[in-house]
Amino acid sequence: MTSLIMAAIGVAMLGLCTVAVRLRARVGGIAVVVAAILVGLAYDNVAVAIGRLIGYGDVLLAINVPRFWIHAIVTPLLIIVAGVLVGRLGVTRVRDRNIALAGWALVAMLIAIGVVEEIVRARLVPEDAGDALRYVNAEAQGPPLPAIITILALIVLGVMAWRHAGFPWLFVGAIVMLIAAAAGSAVLWIGNLGELVLLAAVVATMAAVGGGVRLPLTSATVGGAR
């Protein structure tokens, strides 16, 4: 059942990727970045979903290795994506040059930490997750710090988008991700489902930035600061 759920989440990620690409004409290059993130996360889910069909060994190990690169690099990039989108919703504070530079520095630091912890120091071992077979990092101790900081940063950006632009959905997606990440330590697919909800919120933010799409509970002031 876990394999089937992971496959479904992967397909849903690709569906969101299609939506992101179609928004490129309205929101520009940020849509390409979001699409690339969605492709990476789709790969992560599918790699776990097909594990039971391949079985443990060198082939499955090779398929799993990119998953760690994806999470080390992609996860912190969501801070930049969200910052750009929130700024374009009209929250002028995040457009400040010093804040932008601090954001890029934070993302660079989180990527460096992720690469060291998830790649350089990694020792991959097989682990069953329901009927899904995957490789995990045996050296990992507790929740990954870059992921936690990224979610907290997205919550802060979500609060700003809600308070100053009347757009609540980025905040909702980040809160769901926080809860799902905690539950995901016990049930694998819940954490991945949380990622799907979060990326759906990011794509919804892109749609709001692009205009022409009405979203429930979204203030008419979206697109300009209060």
Side-chain angles (χ1 to χ4, degrees), residues 17 19-38 81 85 88 206:
C17 178
V19 176
V21 170
R22 289 179 177 177
L23 287 169
R24 182 182 179 185
R26 294 178 179 175
V27 301
I30 196 70
V32 177
V33 178
V34 174
I37 290 172
L38 284 162
V81 168
L85 292 174
R88 291 177 65 181
M206 288 172 54

Side-chain angles (χ1 to χ4, degrees), residues 89-166:
L89 283 174
V91 184
T92 57
R93 186 179 305 174
V94 299
R95 298 178 186 174
D96 180 83
R97 184 173 181 272
N98 291 331
I99 292 179
L101 289 175
W104 277 103
L106 174 63
V107 169
M109 181 186 70
L110 295 179
I111 290 176
I113 293 173
V115 168
V116 171
E117 291 184 349
E118 297 295 333
I119 298 169
V120 176
R121 296 178 180 174
R123 181 169 62 86
L124 303 186
V125 297
E127 178 184 270
D128 295 354
D131 65 346
L133 310 182
R134 61 173 182 157
Y135 282 85
V136 299
N137 181 11
E139 299 299 321
Q141 298 180 355
L145 183 63
I148 294 173
I149 294 176
T150 296
I151 294 172
L152 294 177
L154 292 177
I155 290 174
V156 171
L157 289 167
V159 168
M160 295 173 71
W162 193 357
R163 180 178 179 183
H164 298 287

